[in-house]
Amino acid sequence: MNTFSIKIIFLTLLLFSTSVFANVAKVVALVGDATITREGKTIDLTKESILLKHDEIKTSNNTKVQLLFKDNTIISIGNNSTFQIYNYLYDEENNKFEAKFNMFKGTFKTITGKIGKKAPENFLLKTKTASIGIRGTQIVISIEDNQEKIFCTEGRIFVQKNNSNLSTSVNAGEFISVNQNTNKLEVKTIKPSDIKNINKSISIKSNLALDNITIKEDRPEKAEKAEKAEKAEKAEKAEKAEKAEKAEKAEKAEKAEKAESTESTESTESTESTESTESTESAESAIENTIDDDLSELTPESYFENNNSTATYKGDFNNYGFNNGQQYLKNVNNKKVEIPDDTTIQMDIDFGKTNNQISNGEIKINDVGDSTSRTLTFDGDINTSKSTFDLSPTGTTEGSGGSGKIYGSEADLIKGEVNMSSSDNIQIKGNFDAEKQ
């Protein structure tokens, strides 16, 4: 993406930005109709829409959407697609980064931004059948029925089939197909025909950002083949240019007249481009304020000292980092599995108390492997000087408890981790986010 395009996007964000709770992204291009599902409600997506964490976007026929995130990550979404911002945090000051997206169906292209460079291990894409770790900057995904194609067009990615040990790395210029019945992950070379229709599905001609898929191959043997192909193409172009030159002489007078007209137009466009560039340069310094990042800062101690209110927090678990040693649910079969998406956490906080500030804490696991559920209970205290908290199991709940931090000028968000289990050894260990209600 060239500098001018980036500055135009920045100016677009500046002009249409609004102060919305937990803003993470902005629509920078839209063709057709799309909706946002937010907290159970459906609203229309527009060119002025601001996106929040957990938002789910659905596109209709002939619809194309492009999103720009706070770290300059760009997500392009094609028609008849469903996309969700599962989790997102961009906090340069505290060196905290996380970008995790669900891609349920349709066509998508991702150009990673600063998070992909600063913390690639925290940038993850997830489909129904695969989890994709980023070690590159351009990824294209096409999901049709039970068939998923994952293309790496620049850099390198790591793909793992969900709920299995199947995994592989995919280099630039390669792709794999994944479905429920896949017993192996076969890496193939991308052909122009593979991405031709995908390009049409996500490309927006008036789009301010780069939206055409290009392939940058990083393997020596491919580079050599590409160089030979390029030389052959240049030779063909030279031959065509020679023929075109002869034809041009026969139409010289007509072309001279057109050239004069074009020169006048280009002069006007050059002036407008210069004025636009000068305008965007003055706006660029203010871009940090276009998307509210209040939740990237810890809650100040003064809030706890001067506040006697109570609040309820509700949230869920980040199960993207499934790891049988760090993030999991141990079910009735004593097997460590991915934490179910509908697992929730809730608690009350009384900011006026000096101890036992956290009460009525519950973790609800709706499926523990046999169609039954479990509720784990806890309470806790806050360290106001550090904006941290500790959780302790109560009742029949066991385990080491949990801990975390409180964010936002008015304690709008809490993030933490827990390690608790029921009396029959159903255990949950993982990270959660919970927002003030």
Side-chain angles (χ1 to χ4, degrees):
M1 190 188 318
N2 59 46
T3 302
F4 180 72
S5 293
I6 294 174
K7 289 180 177 178
I8 291 296
I9 292 174
F10 283 166
L11 182 59
T12 302
L13 283 172
L14 185 62
L15 292 175
F16 294 106
S17 63
T18 56
S19 178
V20 181
F21 176 76
N23 300 342
V24 300
K26 176 74 171 65
V27 175
V28 292
L30 171 63
V31 175
D33 299 319
T35 60
I36 302 171
T37 301
R38 180 180 297 163
E39 296 181 349
K41 298 180 180 178
T42 300
I43 57 178
D44 290 335
L45 182 140
T46 70
K47 292 181 180 179
E48 287 75 39
S49 291
I50 292 288
L51 280 302
L52 314 182
K53 187 178 71 172
H54 299 321
D55 277 358
E56 183 175 286
I57 297 174
K58 292 184 179 180
T59 62
S60 303
N61 291 328
N62 303 317
T63 298
K64 303 170 186 179
V65 180
Q66 189 172 80
L67 310 179
L68 177 66
F69 286 77
K70 290 169 65 174
D71 71 318
N72 292 338
T73 289
I74 296 173
I75 303 288
S76 298
I77 307 171
N79 63 303
N80 296 319
S81 301
T82 304
F83 168 82
Q84 182 191 40
I85 303 170
Y86 185 87
N87 201 16
Y88 187 90
L89 174 64
Y90 182 66
D91 179 5
E92 281 193 297
E93 183 176 346
N94 296 299
N95 201 36
K96 294 181 180 295
F97 311 104
E98 194 168 42
K100 297 174 180 177
F101 306 114
N102 276 328
M103 297 176 174
F104 296 113
K105 70 172 184 176
T107 306
F108 313 90
K109 189 184 77 166
T110 302
I111 302 178
T112 58
K114 294 180 181 179
I115 294 179
K117 296 177 181 178
K118 294 176 179 291
E121 70 280 3
N122 293 336
F123 195 113
L124 295 170
L125 307 176
K126 191 168 185 179
T127 67
K128 290 183 178 180
T129 60
S131 298
I132 305 156
I134 304 302
R135 293 298 181 270
T137 56
Q138 275 196 47
I139 305 93
V140 179
I141 298 174
S142 175
I143 305 172
E144 296 180 0
D145 297 327
N146 294 322
Q147 183 68 35
E148 299 179 3
K149 290 185 178 180
I150 303 168
F151 301 82
C152 180
T153 56
E154 184 177 330
R156 187 167 175 261
I157 62 176
F158 183 82
V159 180
Q160 179 168 359
K161 187 181 178 185
N162 295 334
N163 303 319
S164 78
N165 294 323
L166 289 175
S167 63
T168 186
S169 60
V170 183
N171 296 308
E174 297 177 338
F175 78 101
I176 62 170
S177 295
V178 187
N179 58 54
Q180 296 289 348
N181 301 320
T182 299
N183 294 320
K184 65 177 182 178
L185 299 178
E186 184 179 356
V187 179
K188 300 179 181 180
T189 301
I190 299 175
K191 299 177 182 178
S193 58
D194 293 327
I195 57 176
K196 182 178 180 181
N197 291 332
I198 297 176
N199 246 335
K200 290 181 180 179
S201 176
I202 62 175
S203 177
I204 304 175
K205 291 184 179 179
S206 60
N207 204 342
L208 301 176
L210 181 66
D211 58 7
N212 275 324
I213 302 170
T214 56
I215 302 174
K216 294 186 178 180
E217 300 172 334
D218 56 2
R219 296 184 301 170
E221 65 271 23
K222 287 195 171 184
E224 184 178 350
K225 291 180 180 179
E227 185 178 355
K228 291 180 179 178
E230 185 178 358
K231 288 181 179 179
E233 185 179 356
K234 285 183 178 179
E236 183 179 355
K237 286 183 178 180
E239 183 179 351
K240 289 182 178 179
E242 184 177 352
K243 293 180 180 179
E245 185 178 356
K246 292 180 180 179
E248 185 180 1
K249 289 181 180 180
E251 302 174 0
K252 187 175 181 181
E254 182 181 352
K255 287 188 178 292
E257 183 179 350
K258 289 183 179 180
E260 183 178 352
S261 174
T262 302
E263 183 179 352
S264 175
T265 302
E266 289 177 346
S267 176
T268 302
E269 291 177 345
S270 176
T271 301
E272 292 175 351
S273 175
T274 301
E275 291 175 352
S276 177
T277 301
E278 291 174 352
S279 174
T280 54
E281 286 175 347
S282 64
E284 190 171 353
S285 61
I287 190 62
E288 294 297 329
N289 298 322
T290 63
I291 297 181
D292 180 22
D293 63 353
D294 177 60
L295 298 184
S296 66
E297 299 179 0
L298 291 175
T299 302
E301 184 177 2
S302 59
Y303 177 82
F304 304 104
E305 294 175 345
N306 304 322
N307 199 303
N308 291 319
S309 67
T310 60
T312 298
Y313 290 79
K314 294 181 180 180
D316 52 19
F317 284 81
N318 170 5
N319 63 10
Y320 269 94
F322 172 63
N323 182 302
N324 61 11
Q326 297 179 356
Q327 178 108 347
Y328 58 82
L329 169 71
K330 189 161 71 172
N331 61 21
V332 292
N333 299 315
N334 201 34
K335 181 180 179 181
K336 293 180 179 179
V337 298
E338 191 172 48
I339 299 173
D341 289 337
D342 58 355
T343 302
T344 60
I345 184 168
Q346 179 174 330
M347 67 192 81
D348 296 330
I349 296 182
D350 188 336
F351 294 102
K353 283 188 176 183
T354 57
N355 52 42
N356 293 327
Q357 290 169 281
I358 301 175
S359 61
N360 301 317
E362 291 185 344
I363 298 173
K364 292 186 176 180
I365 310 169
N366 294 319
D367 185 2
V368 296
D370 62 355
S371 299
T372 63
S373 61
R374 296 290 186 280
T375 297
L376 309 181
T377 60
F378 60 88
D379 58 20
D381 288 307
I382 296 176
N383 183 334
T384 58
S385 64
K386 296 182 179 179
S387 297
T388 60
F389 61 85
D390 292 303
L391 304 178
S392 302
T394 60
T396 59
T397 301
E398 304 170 348
S400 59
S403 62
K405 295 183 179 181
I406 306 173
Y407 297 88
S409 60
E410 297 185 356
D412 298 302
L413 173 72
I414 59 177
K415 295 171 68 69
E417 58 182 4
V418 298
N419 185 0
M420 300 185 192
S421 58
S422 61
S423 57
D424 57 349
N425 206 31
I426 300 298
Q427 181 188 11
I428 184 170
K429 183 176 182 181
N431 302 319
F432 69 86
D433 298 343
E435 296 179 355
K436 182 189 288 188
Q437 302 303 298

